[in-house]
Amino acid sequence: MSTLELTVQRVRHSLKMRLLRVVRAQRISPQLLRVTLGGPDLSDFVSASFDDHVKVFFPAPGEDRPALPVLGPHGPVFPEGQPRSPARDYTPRRYDASAHELDLEFVLHGDGPASTWAAQAAPGQYLGVGGPRGSFVIPKGFDWHLLIGDETALPAIGRRLEELGAETKAVVVSEVTDPAAELAFRSAARLKVHWLHRNGAAEGSLLEPALRSLTLPHGEGYVWAAGESAAMRAVRQHLVAERHIDKTRIRAASYWKRGAVAVHEALDD
């Protein structure tokens, strides 16, 4: 495999706001709910990478549909006089172009506009979706892929595993509440999954300590990690400083931050 074939690509997409309706909602674990959205606005939807995220707009209290921003010359602008819709970032778990269906998966943690909405999600309800603005396309041709994260990373991990072929190895290290939160991943890759259970522990992360005893496969590899901000910084620091993995072969992101709201950022130097 040449270096060129293992080069990450950044792809830009035209930004569009879409008003969609719930087609169905399915609990896939005690903590994870899959919501399928549909509608004609999905006709030109594009998601080129498992690492993508869309901005999801939820109806404001007392409203049945979200107020979507209008795309102006200086970016999205909300209409004057309308309540600003709460918004959060989510992974496009699956898109079916023929059926015009988009799957999003919500962690049910009991607070916040997204979790509160998801807990009562029912067919016919409205959501807004903006983006993705672009894609960070990680080639599938590496000898191995290490995927790390907590519940918030499971949609992206699940999507990536379904994309990988039988010629590669995949290792997953995932921290979840307890054994009931484990998922049965589908993948053609030679897959090894390490589940870490918090079992009621509220503080700290099990991810970085678990990586210290993990044996990595031989060959060219890529690491993708997402989850709580401090945990992801510790994971990245370990991989770079102690495992000596080149920074260009690591993609780490903060999907949430303890004590903060609406955090979503890439972690790099």
Side-chain angles (χ1 to χ4, degrees):
M1 184 69 65
S2 70
T3 303
L4 182 60
E5 291 175 295
L6 297 179
T7 301
V8 172
Q9 294 183 326
R10 294 181 182 271
V11 180
R12 300 296 296 178
H13 308 300
S14 298
L15 181 59
K16 180 178 178 179
M17 300 296 164
R18 298 173 168 87
L19 183 64
L20 307 176
R21 299 190 78 173
V22 176
V23 176
R24 57 188 173 272
Q26 176 188 6
R27 188 77 69 95
I28 59 174
S29 83
Q31 289 80 30
L32 207 60
L33 179 78
R34 179 176 297 161
V35 175
T36 301
L37 303 172
D41 279 2
L42 282 171
S43 61
D44 57 352
F45 183 83
V46 176
S47 176
S49 173
F50 76 100
D51 187 54
D52 288 349
H53 64 271
V54 293
K55 187 73 72 176
V56 179
F57 298 90
F58 301 91
E63 303 291 330
D64 70 339
R65 63 184 67 191
L68 297 182
V70 176
L71 300 178
H74 303 292
V77 178
F78 278 89
E80 290 188 18
Q82 293 189 20
R84 185 160 183 159
S85 298
R88 297 291 187 271
D89 292 309
Y90 279 89
T91 298
R93 177 62 177 84
R94 178 192 69 96
Y95 174 58
D96 185 333
S98 60
H100 291 173
E101 289 187 350
L102 173 66
D103 285 352
L104 304 176
E105 293 178 354
F106 296 84
V107 177
L108 302 175
H109 49 69
D111 57 359
S115 183
T116 300
W117 179 88
Q120 59 79 64
Q125 294 177 336
Y126 287 93
L127 277 187
V129 170
R133 287 178 176 268
S135 298
F136 190 88
V137 182
I138 301 168
K140 304 172 189 175
F142 288 97
D143 297 311
W144 55 268
H145 300 258
L146 173 57
L147 306 168
I148 305 164
D150 58 21
E151 289 94 340
T152 62
L154 290 178
I157 290 174
R159 175 174 166 179
R160 182 55 162 181
L161 290 175
E162 291 173 7
E163 295 171 349
L164 296 177
E167 69 284 353
T168 191
K169 296 178 180 179
V171 179
V172 174
V173 181
S174 181
E175 176 184 328
V176 294
T177 304
D178 53 39
E182 296 180 9
L183 301 181
F185 292 122
R186 294 181 300 168
S187 183
R190 289 165 285 170
L191 176 62
K192 178 66 176 178
V193 182
H194 302 270
W195 291 107
L196 310 174
H197 304 134
R198 286 188 294 273
N199 291 322
E203 297 296 329
S205 171
L206 305 174
L207 291 169
E208 187 265 346
L211 291 176
R212 293 183 174 276
S213 60
L214 182 70
T215 300
L216 295 177
H218 296 292
E220 300 283 352
Y222 196 95
V223 183
W224 182 91
E228 196 279 326
S229 181
M232 291 303 102
R233 292 184 187 279
V235 163
R236 186 176 183 275
Q237 174 67 16
H238 166 72
L239 295 171
V240 173
E242 300 181 43
R243 293 298 187 108
H244 307 293
I245 298 177
D246 192 282
K247 295 176 183 178
T248 63
R249 295 291 176 88
I250 302 172
R251 171 78 163 170
S254 168
Y255 275 9
W256 63 283
K257 185 174 183 179
R258 204 175 303 278
V261 296
V263 173
H264 190 291
E265 60 181 352
L267 303 179
D268 50 29
D269 296 335

